[in-house]
Amino acid sequence: MVSTLNEKSTAASARAPDDILMSRVRAGHPAEFRPLYHRHYPAVFAYALTCARTSLDAYELTLQAFTETLQRLIGKERPKDHLAGSLRLQLMDSVRTLAVRRCAQDGEGFSPRFREWVAAGAPWPLQEREQFTRAWEKSSRDTRCLLWHTVLDRDGPQLASRITGIDQHTIEDTRASTLSSLRYGRMALYLGRLDVLPECRDAIQALAVQPNSPTPLHHAYACESCYEVYQDIAHLDARLASHLPGHLLGWWPTLEYPTLKASVTSPSSDPPFLERAIQQARSAHDQGSKAAGPLVVLRKRLGLVIAGFTLGVILGALVTSVWVDGHRESGKATTSDLIDRQRQRD
């Protein structure tokens, strides 16, 4: 069999959905992480910017999150249940975890708002509308991935298609169908309660079909329990966007993040850690068959690569004499400079 460990990602790889690419990485092909990195970099860097004080601080968090995620994929570690199915959420969860840990030790590199949040104990939002959250959690991983990228993170149709594997021309219809399924799931949880009165049951069933039907709508506005269910059903996309990101990630600056994300573009070149991982994988494949096998060797070497790269990032940040502009609008202009600086330090 011809090895593909050292090959550049082909056009087919660039079009492959996230779950296929992640499976290939788990099988020992780190080059397949390349499209994932470029696909998710703008959102992950923007999220890191909401935590960090400067673009350089955000860049370090971003690369650390990607390196750790690559290591977990190679090591075949299972993601947290509520993040399964969405690589973006896993990356953001890594950014927040890293940021909280570092900020608790030394808040110098973090924004005032993030420092305040950490100082308060990094509190998660209160668990309101429990059945709404349960309807989301009972959905399939594919459903949650699609809704995150089309409703919550508002990725464009082309990017959402690449991530999910759904054809770009049908993704809007699939999104609408998926929202409808979640809407009925929310309704079913409410109607499954033993204390639901017959008039409440009739009103919610009618509103699920016709949200502006006069008689059941009047009932919903007069009944506190039905009103909450009606709001979840009639305004599901808005409810998702306002409630779930904080529930899933804890730290979620609703207004700041979309603006930052729109200002960031993916780097044109690969990060140093990925170049090294691909080279190490090639060497492991060439030598590993005579010893413990390529995947065992790859995992050991990749761990050393990531550890070395992380140390390089930290030391480089300490000795660099030029700090990148910390203004949030500068994300698009600074990313290539940050990559060049990191490569020079390496």
Side-chain angles (χ1 to χ4, degrees), residues 152-280:
L152 286 81
D153 219 341
R154 301 179 185 178
D155 289 322
Q158 183 179 44
L159 179 56
S161 174
R162 290 278 176 89
I163 291 170
T164 62
I166 300 170
D167 186 87
Q168 183 176 342
H169 301 292
T170 62
I171 198 162
E172 181 56 35
D173 290 340
T174 307
R175 169 186 172 276
S177 175
T178 302
L179 278 171
S180 179
S181 296
L182 185 60
R183 187 176 291 112
Y184 276 90
R186 170 68 179 97
M187 179 186 72
L189 284 171
Y190 177 63
L191 298 183
R193 287 170 42 182
L194 297 176
D195 59 345
V196 176
L197 298 174
E199 56 266 30
C200 296
R201 183 178 303 274
D202 293 342
I204 292 301
Q205 287 177 330
L207 290 172
V209 178
Q210 292 183 306
N212 295 314
S213 184
T215 301
L217 186 62
H218 177 76
H219 169 88
Y221 273 86
C223 176
E224 181 178 352
S225 179
C226 287
Y227 178 76
E228 282 299 315
V229 181
Y230 166 70
Q231 290 295 324
D232 287 346
I233 292 174
H235 307 290
L236 183 60
D237 50 352
R239 288 276 182 154
L240 285 171
S242 65
H243 176 69
L244 280 169
H247 167 73
L248 295 171
L249 293 169
W251 170 256
W252 186 256
T254 304
L255 300 178
E256 188 180 7
Y257 168 73
T259 303
L260 292 172
K261 180 185 169 187
S263 73
V264 180
T265 57
S266 180
S268 58
S269 59
D270 292 339
F273 81 87
L274 184 54
E275 293 177 350
R276 294 179 181 181
I278 294 171
Q279 181 59 41
Q280 289 290 340

Side-chain angles (χ1 to χ4, degrees), residues 43-53 58 61 82-83 88-89 91-100 103 110-126 148 241-258 260 328:
V44 177
F45 183 50
Y47 185 66
L49 277 169
T50 69
C51 307
R53 184 175 64 87
L61 287 171
H82 67 290
L83 305 177
R88 171 106 30 106
L89 277 172
L91 288 161
M92 288 179 165
D93 184 72
S94 291
V95 167
R96 188 213 62 250
T97 300
L98 288 164
V100 170
C103 186
F110 297 91
S111 68
R113 283 183 58 203
F114 188 77
R115 289 202 305 267
E116 291 174 3
W117 183 69
V118 173
W124 235 251
L126 294 175
W148 175 269
S242 65
H243 176 69
L244 280 169
H247 167 73
L248 295 171
L249 293 169
W251 170 256
W252 186 256
T254 304
L255 300 178
E256 188 180 7
Y257 168 73
L260 292 172
R328 297 310 197 238

